[in-house]
Amino acid sequence: MTLWLPRGYRAESELEVKRSRFLTTLARVDAEEAAREVIADVRRVHPAARHHCSAFIVEVEGAQHIERSSDDGEPSGTAGAPMLGVLRGSGVTQVVAVVTRYFGGVLLGTGGLVRAYSDAVAQALDAAPRVKPLLRVRYSIEVGHGAAGRFQSVLRATGCTIESVDYSEFASITFVAPETCDVATVISVAAGGRLRPSRVGQFQSEG
């Protein structure tokens, strides 16, 4: 089951391991560019830190999830990949985690680093609220110009969102409905059984 952080969520937590400080910034993001902006912002806030390791997962409509991670100078595979693994295991997407490390003078070894970066992200996730996105379906339907207003009213009354109306030979209405809405039946009743909407895609949203 996919889960998201609430829109606008951003929080920090701290974990200390053998005098090294691991500061985790966890944030909701809806695009790869937004994730990279959070990473860059953390670098600006903590310019004296030795490492700013990161991982993020972003859903893209109609494509595979974008997943990226960075060890940012830590030994390969000891930071970014473990952080990404924790994000995957949590079921949370639309999320970026940045762990800023202030070295405490004691070497942790590869196993210690993997545990520390994993625990830092897990701790931040444990404190974060979650929301379950709703699956919404996009449809298109063509009606006569004179009926366009009535159909839009019917759609809005059933919880649908009108995305666009294109007036050419017919009025082509593109709208979005919750998956639980029986759009075909609603339209069929409103049109006396003469029209059927075409399903053109789907995506997830908070509501």
Side-chain angles (χ1 to χ4, degrees):
M1 179 179 64
T2 296
L3 296 170
W4 292 349
L5 304 176
R7 192 177 299 279
Y9 181 86
R10 177 167 170 168
E12 293 185 356
S13 62
E14 180 173 343
L15 177 69
E16 184 172 328
V17 180
K18 295 182 178 179
R19 299 202 298 272
S20 279
R21 296 171 60 212
F22 294 83
L23 307 178
T24 302
T25 300
L26 190 72
R28 160 73 180 268
V29 291
D30 293 311
E32 181 174 1
E33 294 77 9
R36 296 196 181 281
E37 286 174 6
V38 171
I39 297 168
D41 183 60
V42 171
R43 288 183 180 277
R44 288 192 293 269
V45 173
H46 299 282
R50 295 184 62 168
H51 307 284
H52 302 283
C53 305
S54 60
F56 60 85
I57 302 176
V58 176
E59 294 185 49
V60 179
E61 185 179 345
Q64 291 186 336
H65 295 179
I66 297 174
E67 298 185 353
R68 301 284 187 271
S69 65
S70 170
D71 293 315
D72 193 40
E74 292 282 29
S76 178
T78 62
M83 291 168 61
L84 184 59
V86 173
L87 293 181
R88 286 173 178 156
S90 72
V92 176
T93 65
Q94 310 302 74
V95 60
V96 60
V98 187
V99 178
T100 298
R101 182 190 181 194
Y102 285 93
F103 183 54
V106 179
L107 296 176
L108 302 182
T110 56
L113 288 172
V114 169
R115 286 190 296 273
Y117 280 102
S118 298
D119 290 348
V121 175
Q123 175 181 277
L125 283 167
D126 284 345
R130 292 161 167 78
V131 296
K132 181 180 178 181
L134 301 175
L135 182 64
R136 295 187 174 273
V137 185
R138 182 175 288 110
Y139 295 91
S140 179
I141 191 169
E142 289 188 342
V143 301
H145 289 191
R150 177 167 61 88
F151 273 93
Q152 290 179 71
S153 296
V154 169
L155 293 170
R156 291 192 179 100
T158 58
C160 298
T161 301
I162 308 298
E163 285 195 331
S164 65
V165 182
D166 179 29
Y167 290 97
S168 52
E169 182 179 358
F170 295 95
S172 179
I173 303 171
T174 301
F175 62 95
V176 170
E179 187 184 30
T180 54
C181 179
D182 189 354
V183 172
T185 298
V186 171
I187 295 297
S188 178
V189 171
R194 295 187 301 274
L195 296 174
R196 292 289 186 276
S198 299
R199 181 167 172 158
V200 294
Q202 66 182 41
F203 62 96
Q204 295 186 105
S205 74
E206 282 183 59

